[in-house]
Amino acid sequence: PEEGATSSLVLVGGDLAGDAHAYSLDDGLKRQKLLLGHTASMLTGLCISKNALLTADRDEKIRISSFPQTFVIEGFLLGHEAYI
């Protein structure tokens, strides 16, 4: 969570279009937020570790983004020779 923000329960999931979404699970609210998108490639993996969101796609690429500020890209892991 951001500094000064209250903690909330969030479900993060990916879709076939390559987008990652966050869904709020607090108090029965059904809010959705687009976190990031991989360009024209389906997400094959997603992991949250501390303050980072790691996403993998079918183009052999892993993206490391800050979480919850996913517009801040920490880096890419490239050079894989198969689907991740």
Side-chain angles (χ1 to χ4, degrees):
E2 296 178 42
E3 186 176 326
T6 59
S7 181
S8 61
L9 188 58
V10 175
L11 172 69
V12 177
D15 64 19
L16 294 175
D19 297 329
H21 298 270
Y23 301 91
S24 173
L25 301 178
D26 286 340
D27 301 325
L29 298 175
K30 295 182 179 177
R31 290 183 282 167
Q32 172 184 341
K33 178 183 177 186
L34 176 64
L35 295 176
L36 58 84
H38 280 241
T39 307
S41 188
M42 174 177 40
L43 290 184
T44 57
L46 187 141
C47 177
I48 296 178
S49 176
K50 295 189 181 184
N51 292 331
L53 174 63
L54 290 84
T55 52
D57 65 25
R58 289 190 57 175
D59 291 335
E60 301 90 31
K61 178 176 60 216
I62 297 174
R63 174 179 169 168
I64 305 168
S65 304
S66 293
F67 184 78
Q69 298 95 358
T70 54
F71 56 86
V72 178
I73 300 171
E74 300 292 338
F76 290 93
L77 303 175
L78 306 172
H80 299 84
E81 297 178 0
Y83 293 148
I84 303 168

